[in-house]
Amino acid sequence: MYCVQCEQSNKGGCAVKVGSCGKTADVADMQDVLLRLMQGVSVYADRAAQKGARDAQVDAFTPHAWFTTLTNVNFDADRFTALIGEALTMRTRARALAEDAGADLSDLPEPATWNPGTTPSELAAAAPMAAIQRFMDRDGPSVVGLRNLVLYGLKGTAAYSEHARVLGHEEAAVCAEFHRISAFLATDPTDVGALVAQSLAIGALNLKVMELLDAANTTRFGHPEVTMVRMTPVAGKCILVSGHDMGDLETILQQTEGTGINVYTHGELLPANTYPGLKKFAHLAGNYGGAWQDQQRDFAAFPGAIVMTSNCLINPEIKGYADRLFTAGPVGWNGIAHIRNHDFAPVIACAQAQAGFEQDAPEQRIPAGFARNTVMGVADTLLDMIGKGDVKNLFLIGGCDGARPGRNYFHDLAMATPKDSLILTLGCGKFRFNREDLGDINGVPRVLDMGQCNDAFSAIQVAVAVAGALGCGVNDLPLHYAISWFEQKATAVLLTMLHLGIKKIHLGPTLPQFLTSEVLQVLVDNFDIRPTGDVQEDLNRMLTAA
């Protein structure tokens, strides 16, 4: 086991025996094997695509398989054994597609022909061939670090792509580009310039994927509306839905309608309360709890059934709620009931057997729903406020939250921002300060919740539109970025921001372990990325730059 993919890798180091997330060495090794095979699948799919051929089953399996390997998603060894078997089948299918299309199948890289076996003992023996540190001595930490940047960027992009795909939105060109970059990675490239170029290509691809996901969400559920979301529970039986999958949330709402069960969101699903197609369900009762890292406390205290729809899952065995927890989609934990075919009947039965909330808690609500359609709808007002000097600065403070020390930085920065500034926030990083009363400017709340981490697309569209209206570039705006990094979705969003040429991003609380000082220097030289430091010093630098 060698895992450096997220911030919780043994408190910033490398997980070699068991991950801080609870991932075991055998699961970590099988994830490596699965991804190596998926690069082989992409080799054939890419060569077929160059001949104008594609296979819908291969394209559908690809993002799902990659998604299962993200941090805090799937810990179930049996599921990975099955996925590896499917990957081998898909590789054979992709090869046949390429052959039938007349593609050149000479000079194939190792992942296209490698056979790791399918039994646990065979996979354990084969794992070193798929390990990300395999060529460390040959290629050095900077090249391996850049390959990991490509690998983890693809993981994040795959997750967003899967979210869009399950809602019926995918594009052949997106699938083809993913295969192309994955096939590039299969060659174990060593050219630093090419690795940096492909990292930025992932940023461009992820921008398109986030646009697809935005279209998927708004087509299915309507555009988010400014909504005062209830943050405290009401009396009654209950189900808590965590993760990111609004399609699963909709299905749960449909299947619980008329049962007397209230449904609550948790973590990154808080913005779901602002979509017309979801808030129309009267038993969507609001949000319960905070960000993903608080789930063990939140889930243990919740008196009903719990569904984890995507990342981020934490060990459920030590807090006494494992018998009330269900997984769905790519998520898995050994021994935890998994929902198949979108049949949530077991969840409903579990909720009905629990006590539920005995009484209403004192009502507390916070505003949300400031996605691009809402903000662009009042663009004239915003521009007028900027023109008159009522709003002097904009801050984008958000991203992936986590449990490590130093993340109070984002709360403290939000609290320290001048009262004549607006704060755009998204991702679970918002939970650091979204219940604080930071007031308003001319009736506009100073904290504008733009949604989930994938709704960075909304923030980007708003920034581009404001810059265009003011006749300047995005980097010329009084817009300052403080992004909390945690896992691979954040890596993909960061690469998208770099692809767009956005500079002076403050990133923290720690930088990715896989980025060596040399690689970091490349990013600093080209994009002026800045590690988060002292709040007041960082704020002074931001305001001085404005």
Side-chain angles (χ1 to χ4, degrees):
M1 179 178 184
Y2 182 94
C3 186
V4 294
Q5 70 177 11
C6 75
E7 194 199 35
Q8 65 184 354
S9 297
N10 282 7
K11 299 181 179 179
C14 172
V16 293
K17 294 182 179 179
V18 62
S20 298
C21 62
K23 182 170 62 176
T24 59
D26 62 332
V27 167
D29 289 346
M30 282 193 283
Q31 289 180 352
D32 289 345
V33 170
L34 176 60
L35 288 178
R36 190 73 169 167
L37 287 173
M38 292 310 300
Q39 291 165 38
V41 171
S42 288
V43 168
Y44 294 117
D46 174 52
R47 297 192 185 190
Q50 293 176 35
K51 295 293 184 177
R54 66 181 292 244
D55 185 301
Q57 289 189 42
V58 170
D59 287 348
F61 178 73
T62 295
H64 177 80
W66 279 77
F67 195 173
T68 62
T69 70
L70 263 73
T71 300
N72 289 17
V73 174
N74 199 324
F75 301 80
D76 191 331
D78 291 341
R79 294 265 298 280
F80 279 106
T81 300
L83 283 165
I84 287 169
E86 287 185 74
L88 287 165
T89 299
M90 289 297 168
R91 192 177 67 179
T92 299
R93 189 180 181 99
R95 181 184 179 105
L97 177 73
E99 289 175 340
D100 290 345
D104 179 6
L105 298 185
S106 63
D107 193 27
L108 293 170
E110 180 184 86
T113 58
W114 177 54
N115 182 16
T118 56
T119 68
S121 59
E122 288 174 329
L123 294 173
M129 294 287 288
I132 61 173
Q133 81 280 18
R134 175 182 169 196
F135 296 115
M136 188 73 78
D137 291 342
R138 186 192 74 183
D139 299 336
S142 292
V143 167
V144 172
L146 278 171
R147 283 206 294 261
N148 287 340
L149 181 60
V150 172
L151 179 71
Y152 301 147
L154 283 174
K155 282 193 181 192
T157 301
Y160 291 138
S161 182
E162 177 68 356
H163 283 311
R165 188 191 68 81
V166 297
L167 292 175
H169 282 245
E170 58 182 333
E171 289 186 4
V174 167
C175 298
E177 178 68 353
F178 189 97
H179 288 309
R180 186 193 68 76
I181 301 173
S182 176
F184 163 80
L185 190 60
T187 65
D188 301 309
T190 58
D191 183 271
V192 170
L195 284 162
V196 172
Q198 293 310 310
S199 297
L200 296 181
I202 292 171
L205 174 62
N206 190 60
L207 179 62
K208 179 60 180 176
V209 168
M210 288 195 297
E211 182 181 6
L212 275 177
L213 180 52
D214 179 85
N217 287 335
T218 55
T219 299
R220 177 84 159 260
F221 309 115
H223 284 280
E225 302 168 341
V226 176
T227 305
M228 295 300 295
V229 179
R230 182 170 179 127
M231 302 294 285
T232 49
V234 296
K237 305 285 186 177
C238 49
I239 294 173
L240 185 63
V241 188
S242 192
H244 302 70
D245 197 310
M246 293 198 294
D248 276 343
L249 175 62
E250 180 188 45
T251 302
I252 291 170
L253 287 166
Q254 291 169 341
Q255 294 181 12
T256 53
E257 200 163 23
T259 64
I261 296 173
N262 292 316
V263 177
Y264 297 84
T265 60
H266 178 269
E268 281 268 49
L269 273 176
L270 182 155
N273 291 273
T274 70
Y275 284 83
L278 297 172
K279 60 190 282 190
K280 70 180 182 182
F281 292 95
H283 61 301
L284 178 59
N287 191 79
Y288 178 89
W292 71 269
Q293 74 272 9
D294 299 326
Q295 71 183 250
Q296 288 179 320
R297 178 196 67 200
D298 294 340
F299 291 2
F302 188 78
I306 306 157
V307 182
M308 177 61 73
T309 66
S310 63
N311 54 319
C312 300
L313 176 64
I314 302 177
N315 187 345
E317 298 173 342
I318 60 177
K319 293 292 185 178
Y321 55 83
D323 60 336
R324 297 184 286 113
L325 177 67
F326 301 81
T327 60
V331 191
W333 188 281
N334 186 43
I336 297 298
H338 187 70
I339 299 300
R340 300 184 186 280
N341 301 318
H342 304 286
D343 180 5
F344 291 93
V347 179
I348 295 170
C350 177
Q352 290 171 330
Q354 305 304 314
F357 290 103
E358 293 183 0
Q359 59 186 12
D360 293 358
E363 184 172 338
Q364 296 178 14
R365 294 180 181 269
I366 63 170
F370 295 92
R372 62 177 177 84
N373 199 56
T374 301
V375 176
M376 299 295 283
V378 295
D380 290 344
T381 300
L382 177 59
L383 291 171
D384 184 61
M385 292 167 66
I386 294 173
K388 290 180 178 178
D390 295 332
V391 173
K392 291 188 172 64
N393 288 275
L394 301 168
F395 292 84
L396 177 59
I397 305 176
C400 295
D401 204 2
R404 291 195 64 203
R407 288 182 175 271
N408 282 340
Y409 170 93
F410 300 96
H411 167 274
D412 297 344
L413 177 64
M415 299 301 293
T417 55
K419 295 187 183 301
D420 57 4
S421 61
L422 295 177
I423 299 172
L424 310 178
T425 190
L426 41 78
C428 53
K430 69 168 74 75
F431 284 100
R432 290 282 167 177
F433 53 85
N434 66 348
R435 297 197 194 199
E436 299 282 7
D437 184 6
L438 292 178
D440 64 84
I441 302 176
N442 299 341
V444 177
R446 285 194 56 223
V447 177
L448 303 178
D449 183 348
M450 304 197 78
Q452 297 181 337
C453 54
N454 55 275
D455 289 312
F457 179 76
S458 278
I460 289 167
Q461 294 305 304
V462 169
V464 169
V466 171
L470 295 177
C472 64
V474 172
N475 287 314
D476 299 318
L477 288 172
L479 174 58
H480 318 290
Y481 306 88
I483 306 298
S484 50
W485 171 84
F486 178 75
E487 47 86 29
Q488 299 89 72
K489 285 184 176 179
T491 301
V493 173
L494 175 64
L495 291 177
T496 294
M497 297 176 76
L498 299 186
H499 155 71
L500 292 170
I502 295 174
K503 298 185 177 183
K504 300 179 182 178
I505 300 169
H506 286 73
L507 185 68
T510 59
L511 294 177
Q513 180 72 14
F514 55 85
L515 292 183
T516 65
S517 58
E518 292 84 357
V519 175
L520 177 60
Q521 194 59 51
V522 170
L523 298 180
V524 170
D525 291 344
N526 287 279
F527 304 103
D528 201 8
I529 284 183
R530 302 170 177 184
T532 55
D534 177 79
V535 167
Q536 197 56 53
E537 290 179 3
D538 288 353
L539 181 59
N540 290 342
R541 181 166 58 239
M542 293 175 187
L543 296 176
T544 299

